[in-house]
Amino acid sequence: RAGVTAIRTIAQATGIPVAAVPSARALAIGVPPDSRRNGVAVVVDAFRGRVYISIFDSEGGEILPAADVSPEEAARWISERASRPAIMGSGARRYESIFAPLGGILDREYDSPRGSMIASLGAILPAIPFDALRPYYLRPPDVTLKKAPAGLS
């Protein structure tokens, strides 16, 4: 959220166009080409026994859009959509016994998107108005504000 707010502010002040770059896609294209020849599964620990998963082909094209699922469901999706892909992310390591048999788990060094990958994607993705840029949430917030009773404000 902070990053989106910062980019929106800079874009508004400077008039520089913005592009919405999905973090998982930036992670996937940050993997060396020889390691992603069978595709890339990005598996991020979502806590509470869940993972966020996205699957990409060898060129970074999306095979499976981001989803919030159990590790077992993510493993099933990987096995159905990719043959021995590179598997990366904090969720892959936390649930290594589930994901390791499906492909090679990459080192932690690939767990953060590199600025150069974000910039590369931003250069090829369509520009959007700065006020249209929004964070993308895969699940509802854990905490929400209660509405005031009728008649109170």
Side-chain angles (χ1 to χ4, degrees), residues 29-147:
I29 67 163
V31 174
D34 59 323
S35 294
R36 60 180 150 105
R37 65 181 165 274
N38 293 333
V40 177
V42 178
V43 183
V44 177
D45 189 0
F47 304 102
R48 290 180 269 146
R50 311 283 290 176
V51 295
Y52 299 133
I53 180 169
S54 298
I55 303 175
F56 300 89
D57 65 23
S58 62
E59 299 300 316
E62 192 174 67
I63 295 173
L64 177 74
D68 173 10
V69 298
S70 70
E72 295 79 11
E73 183 78 357
R76 186 175 64 77
W77 288 359
I78 292 170
S79 66
E80 291 173 354
R81 292 169 173 84
S83 177
R84 304 222 28 94
I87 302 173
M88 64 186 307
S90 57
R93 270 185 298 290
R94 181 168 187 184
Y95 301 101
E96 185 173 357
S97 63
I98 294 172
F99 294 107
L102 303 174
I105 297 179
L106 299 177
D107 294 333
R108 291 180 194 276
E109 71 179 281
Y110 297 107
D111 284 1
S112 297
R114 291 173 172 79
S116 60
M117 296 300 111
I118 294 169
S120 295
L121 280 173
I124 62 172
L125 292 172
I128 62 172
F130 73 87
D131 55 350
L133 187 62
R134 301 269 186 276
Y136 178 68
Y137 298 104
L138 293 174
R139 66 177 176 210
D142 294 330
V143 178
T144 58
L145 298 175
K146 293 183 179 180
K147 292 185 179 184

